Amino acid sequence: MDKKQLEQKVAEYNKLLSEYGYAYYVLDQPVVSDNVYDQMLHELIAIEEANPELIYPDSPTQRVGGEVLKGFNKIEHRYPMLSLGNAFNERDLRDFDARVRASVGDYFSYMCELKIDGLAISLIYQDGLLQTGATRGNGTIGEDITENLKTVHSVPLRLNKAISIEARGECYMPKKSFANLNKLREENGEELFANPRNAAAGSLRQLDPKIAASRNLATFIYALGGNGEDYDLTSHSETLDFMDKLGFQTNHERQKCSTIEDVLAYIEEWTAKRSELAYEIDGIVIKVDRFDHQQELGFTAKAPKWSIAYKFPAEEVVTKVLDVDLTVGRTGVVTPTAILEPVLVAGTTVQRATLHNEDVIREKDIRIGDFVIIRKAGDIIPEVKEVMLDQRPEGLEPFKMPTNCPACDSELVRLEEEVALRCVNPQCFAQIAEGISHFVSRNAMNIDGLGERVVEQLLREELIKDVSDLYTLNKEDVLAMDRMGEKSVQNLLDAIEASKSNSLERLLFGLGIRHVGSKAAKILAERFETMDSLANAEKFELLNIDGLGEKIADSILAYFNKQEVRDLIERLRGLNVNLYYTGKKVNTEDIDSVFNGKVIVLTGKLSQLKRQEAQAKIEELGGKVTGSVSKKTDLVIAGEEAGSKLAKAEQLGVEVWDEARLVEELSK
Ligand code: IVH
């Protein structure tokens, strides 16, 4: 074969293989057998190896993943990648519809689409050839993951038209690929991915594109970056058809709706059918179709006003109760937790669910060995909804709470009017450990590096007996412990040293006086200014303070009446721990913010903000951040794995936001 013929052959193979790939991966309608495809691909690989000058950037051989990268470059998006406002119920959707109609009148249509649970990507094409692929990043700057995205078969390397365009969409991992991947990882003793979204994100963040290539990722394109009118398009629906023609994979379950009633019907349909899909969806995206209508509606700082994302409510699944774990908290309360056979609920793997207390277990009649329905309250914390009684295996015994403390074996008591069982042994190891963990926690003394494991070890090796001993720790002692390196020990000692100058409210909260949460601690510190004046306060002085009730007053009096408490405070003083209020008092009257005057609880893990940062920002805007949920709480911000506080909020009907909503409101 001469050079010319070879070139022709390569061009033909490139074209054919790309067509076959499109039919297989995008249309899901293979036109040739796997054998034919593989043979042709191998022939092409052989030709390319012998003639490297014939390797074109859009050759299907480029999808196998090339060299390992050193890192990802940053890519600044040409247009910001925005997010969407959320709707959680019919009311939110009708409100959205009313806003749209107020702006564009009654004659317009919506496009409804599935909200794919993956991660947003941007693909840039020049003259029809893929140039770069990026993650959303912070919306302005993303990471260059071109090499990984090239391995994704539904990402065209060359478009059907030689145009320059930016395509935006979602990269995801199909449910089946996810299951296979985790199975493989389990066999290899590797850590499992919690859900398909994490697996997709993890795959795209690999520096070795061969790994991404092995992961069976896919994409759906749902938008064009920039101005659709540049391509003579007048609406979102036309854009999606156009994207289809260019060779992208778009999602075909989309539907045009002319009224909000039709939108609601579409949502109902997909709420019922979502489990049949080959990929995870977490909601429905609704977009005003015509561009001129979109322009009339415009944008907020974060999101278009012409679109909204409806989020599905909690998903319910069945699993088995393997055991009940009992933990002893700082105040001696023994809390039961169900240990579950791991299941995927609403996108994350669940293996524990709080059972709250003995009464809940009895009411629901939960027994070890039972099959139970698990649901995620507010899509965040898992709880046992009910037992599947008709599937109960024979011979299961009703669950009984122990009579003795699982940590120290002393007898448990049920205090009057309380549902909880308590260990009242002040020497109980678990309580002391929890108390110290509380003392060092973020909202208290904020000593980083003292995880539960380290606290327990310090106690077991008798390097500490109570919180004051933290301030006498020396380097040699701590270094001698398991798994403590020079650097982490120094960081820990520095953090302990730094905590000495904390303002009084942190210490007060950290001491764990019953009923004194971080809010009460702050009020007390502001009012009394020194530990000594608080310790010597009369009951009437405490009762005179707004926001403090009799329960707190009595608890404070009882606390400071104890000789061991007085001794502890003297030891802290002797160790130069600050006993004074050094904070600032702010006048919040004229702050214009949704947080102003609200009592807010932060719970669970926050991923975008540090907890303290979130608290500081809320407080700056006049909000009061408290530690526990009560009738007085106005709002609960629930991060990941939020627990009892979220449950309490839901029980009391307190408004709950997720972190995204918090971030959005803070940025207004
Ligand atoms: S449209 C202006 N359509 O959901 C924002 N987004 O909360 C354009 N998503 O970041 C987004 N499926 O990652 C749109 N059919 C769909 C979607 C979708 C999933 C994701 C996307 C976005 C997030 C919005």
Side-chain angles (χ1 to χ4, degrees), residues 12-22 36-38 40-42 44 60-61:
E12 189 192 328
Y13 275 22
N14 275 351
K15 187 160 168 285
L16 282 175
L17 284 168
S18 137
E19 278 170 23
Y20 298 161
Y22 176 78
V36 171
Y37 183 91
D38 287 345
M40 197 180 274
L41 183 66
H42 282 113
L44 179 62
T61 61

Side-chain angles (χ1 to χ4, degrees), residues 585-591:
K585 297 179 191 185
V586 269
N587 177 6
T588 58
E589 258 158 47
D590 42 27
I591 297 177

